[in-house]
Amino acid sequence: MAVTLTINGQRRDFDASPEMPLLWFLRDVAGLTGTKFGCAAGLCGACSVLMDGVRVFGCQTPVGDAVGKSITTIEGLTQQPLGKALVEAWNEVDVVQCGYCQPGQIVAAASLIATNPKPDDAAIDAGMSGNICRCGTYPRIRAAIHRAAQIHAGEPA
Amino acid sequence: MTGTTRRDVLIGSGLFSAALMVPVAFGSSRSRAAGAPSLAGNTWLGVDAQGRVTLALPKTEMGQGILTTITMIAAEELAVRPVDVVVSIPDGDSVRFAPIDQGTGGSTSVREVWQPLREAGARARIALVNAGARQWGVPAAECDAHDGAVVHRPSGKVLAYAALVAAAAAAPLPTEAPVRPASAYAVIGKSHRRLDGDAKARGVAEYGIDVVVPGMKYAAISVSPIFGGKLAGVDEAAARAVQGVTGVIRGADVVYVVGDNTWAVRQGITAAKAQWTADAASTGTQQAGVIAAVAAALDKPGFVAATSGDLEAARVGAAHRFSATYTQPFLAHATMEPANCVAHVHDGQCEIWTGSQIPGDARKAAAKRLGLPLDKVTLHNRLMGGGFGRRLEADMVERCVDLAKQVPFPVKLIWSREEDMSHDWYRPAYADHIDIAIGADGKIAAWEHKIAGSSIMARLLGPAFKGVDDDAVEGAITPIYPARARKVTFQQQESLVPTSWWRGVGPLRSAFVMESAIDEVAHQVGADPIAFRLAHIEDPRARAVLEQARDKAGWGTAVAPGVGRGVAVIHLWDTYMAAVAEVTVDKDHQIAVKTVTVVVDCGQAVNPSGVAAQIDSGIIFGTAGALYGEVTIANGRVEQSNFHDYRVLRMNEAPVIHTTLIDNHEKPGGMGEPPNAVIFPALANAVFAATGKRLRNLPLQKGLEAG
Ligand code: FES
Ligand code: FES
């Protein structure tokens, strides 16, 4: 079945069932493998993408729900100013370990900063506790979010 | 198909910076062939015709940062920047890297490669220096390597490696090639950002699960949820009715559903409603029985792992006697990237793409499974979304080739989280009994430690196993506490639950028991737990980490009610580490870990930022394990299935971690596992300090709630 989706600013027609979760659609149909599979149960956040700027779990969002919305994946986010600021901060703080959760973490962080440009630790806890990192990068993610907020606001370190 | 020649996946900076400039489109190919080195320092480190240092990573990258660490060591010897090294992740190959084993576990990587890697780098560097000296007609002693070039110091003349590599390769490799002295280090010991960090953050790094092969189909797997069960029935029609499902394949204890995408095959495997049969021994396997059998094994004499002095004699006239039994549960790895593998079996050969901690052995396992000669099987290794020991097993490869040999196309097999969780190879459940006698002189007179549980080594060694599991007893037989008499025994006790390596391995078990017990003895004799340890520890490096942790953590200062500090100190994997954990326990008995202060002496730290990252990692991974980790068995099945019932730590639960690195140039120690081992006992001891409740059975949260 043909669906028209806007992904990372590009409108395209795809052949996919509207029930297919965005996670599998992005990875297997659209070839965007930056969005990761961790649990398929809304428990880990590895599959996070932005839908009209707000983080959703790709594994819990049917393709049909994305029709008419703007989907931004990690690949698209990192081409935007906020995504660039996040990657820069992630690199500065040297956050990544296995890295598998990190695209989802960065998407969640983008959603957080978009609504709260200077999140404090409590806001980071609230905004980021839907994302699991088995490698334990939480302390550096926290530091990197503070740093990304600065970079995005054009403030010096 | 990508052909059968070796294709290393380049993940050097060159490729990644190129990847940055390409606007990310739908679909991408991120592989390219590596050029053979012109000048070979050994079979995996060299300099290519363009003068670039090329490194085929001899160990596997699962998040621990070894790619960066090893590249830094190579860069140091070859006098280039780490970002200039072209790093590839090589295929599984048990010969190419010998005597180094590609197998990556036991915190051995840096310890194993440290000497051969530097020697290979030094050989190549000196070959280049000699070539430069010959070209200029000057003594080699007047020349040095610097920033990818050879420099003649008196004249200031410079020749890039690219201009010298052919001449260097034409001459015999130097036999005398001293490694760089620590005093000259430009790279080692200075924090370096991870080389794979940027690509991973951007989502363009390729993990096993991301591999796409032309013509590939997808598959889901369901293995008997009952240990030892067999497939009894499948609703094949229902599975095939799912749009996108193209096939259902049965095995003795497994069913696969094949199709056009992961979503289709996930629906298909659910629709297949596989049915299983198992005998009464399997379906009757219960948690309580398995655990009771392990505990009962402590009553057997066990096999002696270490003995010194006369225990009975040493106990006579003891001023204090302490004995206790500790238990630790089965644990799942729950790597963030679930198990997966891509394989293509065709024309008497097999090509495999996966992320493995044992690429060489996994390739052999596939060849054996397929009955193919080893040279007909290629395993392309990939970055791993976590390992923690899970990918030291090859079952994902074996299951995938079992399927791939039955289909005429490449197939990507992905485990669901539920399937991954319930078909892990679990950290063994253990029981330990410890009996410590303190003599009238205040010294440890007698120390008896009995260990019982599944033996991973017995499975791996087969008939060569003689009764003592050398991994399980590690740490227990080399304690930092001297005793006049000591005896350590091991008793194997198996169940149907498959067991394997889990971050921290045997020494983690030892550390929890020994550092809990020494804490209990300290409290029993009314001593401060750190002062008591220091009264017994003789090793100056162990004393130093403990003293610094005490001072940095504010040990001994007042804490609020419900708050407690606990300490542990270890010398394992050639690393010394002390941790002080501060926990709070609320009125509902919920444990929260507020801060952890860690002091580490791991000898020469190659990448201090990486060492600190491993400490964050191990402390958080270990905190999840100590507080919540437990896999339980009911009716022959694992009861846990996903992150809702196998709780791990989240951002809001992560402690603040203060790390201090003691700088020195001793031989490097391991870093992947020590923090995970030190935190288990530190937390148990902190919960005791906070509540007065001594928890000898993990996990701690459950123990505290049980009262
Ligand atoms: S994969 Fe979607 S939340 Fe885990
Ligand atoms: S970096 Fe490995 S799971 Fe987060």
Side-chain angles (χ1 to χ4, degrees), chain B residues 262-618:
Chain B
T262 315
W263 170 236
V265 299
R266 283 173 64 91
Q267 291 175 285
I269 204 94
T270 305
K273 286 206 181 64
Q275 288 159 346
W276 312 96
T277 56
D279 60 20
S282 289
T283 56
T285 297
Q286 311 295 352
Q287 178 73 3
V290 172
I291 298 305
V294 173
L298 286 175
D299 297 333
K300 297 182 184 168
F303 291 82
V304 177
T307 181
S308 63
D310 181 339
L311 273 184
E312 285 312 319
R315 281 170 181 153
V316 174
H320 296 279
R321 187 81 182 266
F322 167 81
S323 73
T325 298
Y326 299 83
T327 67
Q328 305 182 53
F330 294 112
L331 295 172
H333 298 83
T335 57
M336 210 64 232
E337 178 193 9
N340 64 83
C341 181
V342 177
H344 189 196
V345 178
H346 62 102
D347 305 317
Q349 49 189 301
C350 175
E351 201 166 5
I352 297 161
W353 297 259
T354 195
S356 177
Q357 292 177 250
I358 47 161
D361 288 348
R363 175 190 179 208
K364 283 185 192 164
K368 189 170 166 206
R369 200 85 166 193
L370 293 165
L372 287 176
L374 190 59
D375 64 358
K376 297 291 181 201
V377 176
T378 310
L379 187 146
H380 308 293
N381 206 19
R382 288 295 184 270
L383 294 170
M384 285 170 268
F388 317 126
R390 176 65 185 92
R391 292 180 161 95
L392 284 169
E393 296 296 337
D395 56 305
M396 56 288 275
V397 172
E398 292 172 332
R399 293 289 189 183
C400 189
V401 301
D402 286 352
L403 166 63
K405 73 179 179 199
Q406 301 182 61
V407 295
F409 39 76
V411 62
K412 178 194 281 192
L413 181 60
I414 301 180
W415 274 243
S416 67
R417 172 60 65 191
E418 291 77 11
E419 194 70 18
D420 180 290
M421 187 81 76
S422 56
H423 296 86
D424 200 344
W425 296 69
Y426 303 91
R427 195 288 298 267
Y430 289 113
D432 289 52
H433 185 79
I434 200 156
D435 184 327
I436 297 169
I438 305 293
D441 59 355
K443 303 270 186 227
I444 300 171
W447 180 298
E448 185 180 16
H449 187 167
K450 304 178 78 168
I451 302 163
S454 165
S455 170
I456 303 158
M457 289 308 298
R459 169 169 63 87
L460 298 179
L461 290 174
F465 180 70
K466 297 291 179 246
V468 174
D469 184 308
D470 289 334
D471 164 69
V473 303
E474 197 178 332
I477 60 170
T478 54
I480 50 180
Y481 305 104
R484 278 203 287 281
R486 186 185 311 276
K487 187 174 176 191
V488 180
T489 60
F490 179 79
Q491 177 61 50
Q492 182 185 7
Q493 176 63 45
E494 299 297 336
S495 71
L496 288 177
V497 182
T499 59
S500 187
W501 311 116
W502 194 88
R503 190 181 197 178
V505 290
L508 157 62
R509 201 216 73 268
S510 300
F512 170 66
V513 172
M514 297 162 74
E515 283 300 296
S516 291
I518 204 78
D519 215 70
E520 293 206 55
V521 175
H523 286 291
Q524 187 179 317
V525 304
D528 171 79
I530 291 186
F532 185 78
R533 283 170 171 84
L534 287 171
H536 292 91
I537 297 170
E538 291 168 356
D539 188 326
R541 293 174 72 187
R543 296 180 63 86
V545 291
L546 184 55
E547 286 166 349
Q548 285 204 30
R550 173 194 65 196
D551 298 344
K552 304 225 178 251
W555 185 263
T557 57
V559 293
V563 179
R565 293 193 192 105
V567 68
V569 56
I570 57 171
H571 172 213
L572 294 166
W573 301 280
D574 296 337
T575 285
Y576 294 84
M577 188 175 288
V580 173
E582 189 171 312
V583 307
T584 65
V585 179
D586 68 16
K587 59 180 182 356
D588 299 321
H589 311 294
Q590 297 304 300
I591 305 165
V593 186
K594 292 298 168 192
T595 59
V596 180
T597 303
V598 181
V599 178
V600 58
D601 167 2
C602 59
Q604 175 69 60
V606 176
N607 184 6
S609 174
V611 168
Q614 279 305 292
I615 288 174
D616 285 357
S617 182

Side-chain angles (χ1 to χ4, degrees), chain A residues 1 7-8 10 12 14-15 17 19-21 24-46 74-76 78-79 84 87-88 90-103 105-106 121 124-126 128-142 145, chain B residues 20 22-28 30 61-63 192-194 196-198 200-205 207 209-210 212 218 243 261-263 266 332-338 384-386 388 412 414-418 502-503 607-610 612-614 616-618 620-621 624 642-644 646 648-652 654-655 657:
Chain A
M1 188 173 159
I7 301 173
N8 298 332
Q10 298 179 32
R12 275 185 52 181
F14 294 94
D15 183 27
S17 145
E19 285 89 52
M20 185 188 286
W24 303 118
F25 170 80
L26 290 168
R27 292 183 54 81
D28 296 349
V29 181
L32 291 168
T33 54
T35 303
K36 302 300 187 197
F37 158 50
C39 69
L43 296 166
C44 78
I74 186 71
E75 291 90 345
T78 50
Q79 304 301 312
K84 286 185 174 155
V87 170
E88 187 182 334
W90 247 245
N91 286 339
E92 248 182 52
V93 178
D94 202 20
V95 170
V96 167
Q97 292 189 31
C98 87
Y100 192 78
C101 74
Q102 299 296 341
Q105 305 277 3
I106 287 177
D121 282 345
I124 291 174
D125 282 350
M128 299 302 293
S129 59
N131 289 66
I132 291 173
C133 175
R134 280 294 275 156
C135 298
T137 62
Y138 301 123
R140 290 192 183 186
I141 289 176
R142 186 186 298 284
I145 290 174
Chain B
L20 303 187
V22 181
V24 177
F26 291 106
S28 60
R30 294 183 289 272
E61 176 61 57
M62 65 193 103
H192 198 291
R193 261 182 219 176
R194 291 183 61 120
D196 52 359
D198 186 75
K200 287 174 169 178
R202 290 171 192 279
V204 300
Y207 299 84
I209 204 166
D210 300 327
V212 174
Y218 296 78
Q243 196 196 343
N261 57 65
T262 315
W263 170 236
R266 283 173 64 91
H333 298 83
T335 57
M336 210 64 232
E337 178 193 9
M384 285 170 268
F388 317 126
K412 178 194 281 192
I414 301 180
W415 274 243
S416 67
R417 172 60 65 191
E418 291 77 11
W502 194 88
R503 190 181 197 178
N607 184 6
S609 174
Q614 279 305 292
D616 285 357
S617 182
I620 288 171
F621 190 88
N642 207 321
F643 292 115
H644 66 289
Y646 191 76
V648 299
L649 239 55
R650 292 175 182 273
M651 172 66 86
N652 56 318
I657 300 165

